[in-house]
Amino acid sequence: MRSITLFLVLFLSACAVKMNNGPLYSSYYRYEQSVSVDNLHKLQFDFFSSNLIKNLNINEPEITEQLLFTKYMFKQKSHFEKINEKVGCLSINGFDNENMPISFNIKYIAENEHWLIEEIGVLFVNSIADFTDSAKCPSEYQN
């Protein structure tokens, strides 16, 4: 009986953690797990808005590197999202491969019933004190 109770507690805990990930983070996670340099061209319309990619040449190495921004974050610490009808913002705090703090701020738009990346902001912050504690779009940061 004890093992069944323990199993149920662990199962429900896992479900609760999974449910905390909203639609923007879920879209980000699918992108992070699916897209690579080898399939970016094929999958670009599944993850990026038509407005973002309409003037980009994905065959240029600099563009490819920018669109594969997720490779800069080695470990995630926290994430926040907010949605206002057909626009949403996702902020992810974490660390790069040298354990330096980094934040992604991504603007999503709802297009063809999917959340697609419209804008990407990568911030190399000075310390974890600079991590955001709420979702922000890239435009909310001054250059």
Side-chain angles (χ1 to χ4, degrees), residues 67-101:
L67 294 178
L68 294 173
F69 67 97
T70 60
K71 68 179 180 170
Y72 293 117
M73 190 174 289
F74 184 70
K75 180 174 70 172
Q76 293 182 23
K77 178 175 174 34
S78 59
H79 64 272
F80 307 93
E81 68 180 66
K82 65 181 176 183
I83 296 174
N84 185 4
E85 295 184 28
K86 294 190 179 258
V87 175
C89 300
L90 173 67
S91 294
I92 303 171
N93 299 313
F95 302 92
D96 67 12
N97 63 344
E98 296 177 355
N99 208 35
M100 299 300 294

Side-chain angles (χ1 to χ4, degrees), residues 33-52:
Q33 298 299 307
S34 304
V35 179
S36 69
V37 71
D38 297 325
N39 64 11
L40 177 62
H41 196 273
K42 178 182 174 187
L43 296 177
Q44 65 183 325
F45 297 105
D46 294 341
F47 295 100
F48 298 106
S49 73
S50 55
N51 191 43
L52 175 67

Side-chain angles (χ1 to χ4, degrees), residues 18 21-31 81 90:
K18 184 76 171 163
N21 295 332
L24 302 182
Y25 185 79
S26 295
S27 180
Y28 169 84
Y29 183 78
R30 277 192 334 275
Y31 172 73
E81 68 180 66
L90 173 67

